[in-house]
Amino acid sequence: MSTTGPQDNSFDVYVERVKESRIGDVDLDNPGFGTNFSDHMAVLNYSDGQWQKPNIVPFAEFKCSPSLISLHYGQTVFEGMKAFKNSRGEVIMFRPREHIERLNRSSRRLCIPEIHPETILQTLKKLIRIDREWIPVKRGNSLYIRPLIFGSDNFLGVRPSHTYTCIIITSPVGLYYKNGLKPVRLATNCHYIRAAMGGAGDVKTPANYGVTLYPAREVQENGFDQVLWLDAKEQKYIEEVGTMNIFFKLKDSLVTPPAMGTILPGITRDSVIRLAKEWGMTVIERSISIDEVIHAYASGDLEEVFGSGTAAVISPVGEIVHEGRSLKMDAENAGPFTQRLYDEITGIQYGDREDRYGWRFAVDP
Ligand code: COI
């Protein structure tokens, strides 16, 4: 971080605690996804050309003006990361530094001033420790952490905001998809695209999600879970799923679309690539067309398909449909390689597998 970059304000976090916890209202064994929010949240404001010191305050609604610039023009970025509690009650975050780095990368693309990584990390540690009772212990469940930064000027001109707010909320969650680890069904939707080269498909900004709602609704009306996005230029090459990156196991090689600007450079994606290489698999980040996948299916080379993401973890894909052609994989269970990855990654996250890459980050001092 350059000396002209953001200051580290982590030394001085103001904390106001709730008078009464809401934790009794929540079933931590069955939390669903993203519906319950822990007692506290962190708030950081950017004014006078710098990020001010972090505050941790009771989770509460906040007021804003109808003229809030980011509501109108979407100058907003976010992240999704997770904390886990192991059987000894120790709290671990998974690769928070990489998430913070990606948050700052997203901010740069949206002209949002970066926050010093240490400020976010120390604020996260403090917030999670305060709400540690909210972290589920049941295997498969975790505390989802959602930092969000938005321009907070009240102004209708199109320009970067002069003031910003960063909030960090946390939510006890289970698996992202409603059917848990049951394989998801994907369909292409060639009337629409998600992202083009030079756009912002590699940035965690709400617009990337908003524009997928209508195309996703179309495929969901036909019984699919998500859209399998194809490239913007030729509608030929596979990109990602919007809620996760995608991998194809073709015999002994694992192929995934390259993170060259149109897909989100997933942190779980990176974990998958490193583990698969370590296990002797040939991992290739390259363009893969939907036709190649169809041919590999026909020849028997396509053994498994799965998605990866913070929320999705490792999600098996049971079917892909493209222009009336259906590729059916196991509809009920994850394939052996997909299951091995799920077990290894969650094993590292919950602290019962060796952390060979330093992905675990202890929240306690
Ligand atoms: C995540 O995986 O953390 C995301 O932000 C994706 C979102 C669909 C929940």
Side-chain angles (χ1 to χ4, degrees):
M1 189 64 52
S2 82
T3 49
T4 54
Q7 282 181 37
D8 175 9
N9 279 332
S10 60
F11 48 88
D12 194 12
V13 184
Y14 166 84
V15 179
E16 179 196 334
R17 286 181 182 262
V18 290
K19 294 200 171 53
E20 203 176 327
S21 173
R22 290 176 284 101
I23 197 160
D25 303 340
V26 180
D27 178 0
L28 290 181
D29 283 347
N30 301 290
F33 185 90
T35 49
N36 301 295
F37 301 98
S38 320
D39 282 330
H40 298 88
M41 62 182 184
V43 182
L44 292 89
N45 290 305
Y46 180 91
S47 58
D48 302 326
Q50 62 178 333
W51 284 102
Q52 307 297 326
K53 71 173 192 169
N55 296 320
I56 292 177
V57 293
F59 178 97
E61 291 171 7
F62 52 80
K63 277 203 216 149
C64 72
S65 161
S67 65
L68 191 83
I69 197 166
S70 54
L71 281 182
H72 295 264
Y73 305 124
Q75 198 195 8
T76 302
V77 294
F78 70 95
E79 259 306 318
M81 55 186 117
K82 278 181 174 169
F84 303 83
K85 199 184 267 177
N86 67 21
S87 49
R88 294 178 297 282
E90 292 155 354
V91 177
I92 285 160
M93 276 193 275
F94 188 67
R95 307 190 69 179
R97 291 184 195 280
E98 287 87 341
H99 283 281
I100 292 168
E101 198 183 306
R102 191 172 64 183
L103 180 69
N104 274 330
R105 252 190 348 258
S106 298
S107 287
R108 284 200 290 280
R109 179 65 176 82
L110 273 283
C111 291
I112 295 173
E114 291 172 52
I115 305 179
H116 196 290
E118 212 48 39
T119 301
I120 310 184
L121 195 64
Q122 297 309 322
T123 306
L124 281 171
K125 274 179 83 167
K126 198 150 204 161
L127 179 66
I128 292 166
R129 273 153 64 180
I130 287 174
D131 278 338
R132 66 187 304 131
E133 296 309 317
W134 286 81
I135 308 172
V137 282
K138 191 175 156 197
R139 193 62 179 245
N141 297 348
S142 58
L143 190 75
Y144 188 78
I145 303 158
R146 170 55 60 87
L148 175 85
I149 310 176
F150 55 92
S152 46
D153 282 4
N154 297 317
F155 179 60
L156 290 189
V158 181
R159 57 133 174 89
S161 187
H162 299 315
T163 58
Y164 295 87
T165 301
C166 169
I167 55 166
I168 307 173
I169 57 175
T170 67
S171 171
V173 298
L175 291 166
Y176 181 71
Y177 293 113
K178 63 178 188 312
N179 292 326
L181 264 189
K182 194 170 171 226
V184 292
R185 299 176 65 220
L186 308 177
T188 59
N189 187 341
C190 295
H191 300 296
Y192 305 95
I193 58 149
R194 175 183 174 275
M197 276 315 256
D202 57 348
V203 173
K204 251 179 135 48
T205 187
N208 277 336
Y209 295 80
V211 295
T212 66
L213 297 177
Y214 188 82
R217 183 196 276 171
E218 283 192 348
V219 303
Q220 282 157 2
E221 279 167 1
N222 291 317
F224 296 95
D225 296 289
Q226 295 282 321
V227 175
L228 178 62
W229 291 103
L230 300 182
D231 75 282
K233 200 166 164 202
E234 298 181 74
Q235 288 276 338
K236 191 170 160 187
Y237 296 100
I238 292 165
E239 299 250 298
E240 60 152 83
V241 182
T243 47
M244 57 187 189
N245 296 117
I246 187 106
F247 286 85
F248 300 90
K249 183 175 183 293
L250 306 166
K251 298 280 181 205
D252 286 337
S253 55
L254 191 63
V255 178
T256 193
M260 301 282 283
T262 56
I263 69 166
L264 194 80
I267 287 149
T268 312
R269 174 184 179 276
D270 178 71
S271 306
V272 168
I273 291 172
R274 289 225 235 159
L275 290 172
K277 282 184 179 162
E278 182 193 308
W279 295 342
M281 187 80 86
T282 305
V283 184
I284 318 170
E285 295 178 68
R286 67 160 171 87
S287 299
I288 178 165
S289 70
I290 186 72
D291 289 341
E292 181 183 341
V293 173
I294 291 170
H295 284 126
Y297 177 78
S299 69
D301 283 353
L302 181 66
E303 292 180 346
E304 294 178 40
V305 183
F306 60 89
S308 67
T310 297
V313 195
I314 300 294
S315 289
V317 174
E319 185 179 6
I320 294 176
V321 169
H322 173 63
E323 292 180 338
R325 180 86 203 254
S326 165
L327 318 184
K328 283 196 163 60
M329 270 78 58
D330 191 329
E332 294 302 322
N333 300 299
F337 183 74
T338 306
Q339 188 67 51
R340 184 178 177 197
L341 273 169
Y342 177 85
D343 292 343
E344 183 70 17
I345 289 180
T346 53
I348 295 170
Q349 291 173 330
Y350 290 92
D352 48 38
R353 298 248 173 137
E354 192 193 338
D355 180 23
R356 296 177 300 283
Y357 299 102
W359 290 338
R360 283 200 291 260
F361 179 86
V363 162
D364 293 309

